[in-house]
Amino acid sequence: MANWEATQTVSEFDAKQAAQAAMDGRAATRTAADGGGILGSLGSLFGGGGLDVVGINAAKVPTMREAIRTSVSNLQAKIGEIDANADASGAYKSEEIQQAVVSYVESVKSYCSALISDLLAFSDKLADVENAWKTSSANFAGNISSSTSGLSDNSTVYTETK
């Protein structure tokens, strides 16, 4: 009889590796005192042997990816609105301190923008999910078609004789 085998396709995109590479690239800018901060949380998001995407509706992937891109863009725009050169003349009595604060704020803005961009790794993972679903669906449909193509040729309708 027919061999109804459903196969699963594994995504080639390694979201954990992409996020880890980004985190490692920024690791040199962190101090030992911060304990990893939010990056530890992001690492656990992409950790544990890869991202689990079971239950995602592949038909909604383009909408999800666009929402991720929009969110990243909006968040980075908000970060860009932070004015590192705001007038702090009443707070600091030293130009050196003012410049150090401006430099620190700019560094934090850059760091936050880089963290937010890690969401794009998830968007890439979703693209892999969508492609794997399309491939799997096409293969499954092909298996069904090939296993049923000869059935009508070999079957006849029984007619009662008594």
Side-chain angles (χ1 to χ4, degrees):
M1 195 66 181
N3 182 9
W4 295 76
E5 181 181 321
T7 59
Q8 77 179 29
T9 305
V10 177
S11 169
E12 297 297 321
F13 179 77
D14 189 346
K16 180 180 178 182
Q17 181 182 8
Q20 188 64 49
M23 289 186 292
D24 290 346
R26 292 187 297 269
T29 63
R30 295 193 312 265
T31 65
D34 76 355
I38 194 168
L39 289 179
S41 300
L42 264 180
S44 65
L45 173 66
F46 293 113
L51 194 60
D52 183 0
V53 292
V54 172
I56 288 181
N57 181 347
K60 304 273 184 180
V61 167
T63 304
M64 289 185 275
R65 293 190 74 206
E66 187 57 36
I68 289 170
R69 286 187 208 103
T70 300
S71 294
V72 167
S73 178
N74 290 343
L75 288 167
Q76 288 178 335
K78 285 294 181 189
I79 288 171
E81 293 174 6
I82 298 171
D83 184 8
N85 294 309
D87 182 19
S89 59
Y92 311 116
K93 300 297 181 192
S94 162
E95 182 63 27
E96 292 87 17
I97 293 174
Q98 174 66 28
Q99 287 305 314
V101 169
V102 168
S103 177
Y104 177 77
V105 170
E106 287 297 332
S107 293
V108 169
K109 286 172 54 176
S110 177
Y111 182 74
C112 290
S113 182
L115 283 177
I116 291 165
S117 74
D118 285 345
L119 292 171
L120 296 173
F122 183 66
S123 176
D124 285 343
K125 183 67 169 183
L126 287 173
D128 273 357
V129 168
E130 180 182 28
N131 292 333
W133 174 256
K134 287 177 181 177
T135 300
S136 179
S137 294
N139 289 343
F140 191 59
N143 288 345
I144 292 171
S145 294
S146 67
S147 67
T148 58
S149 63
L151 288 179
S152 60
D153 297 338
N154 298 325
S155 59
T156 56
V157 176
Y158 181 81
T159 305
E160 288 183 313
T161 58
K162 299 183 186 191

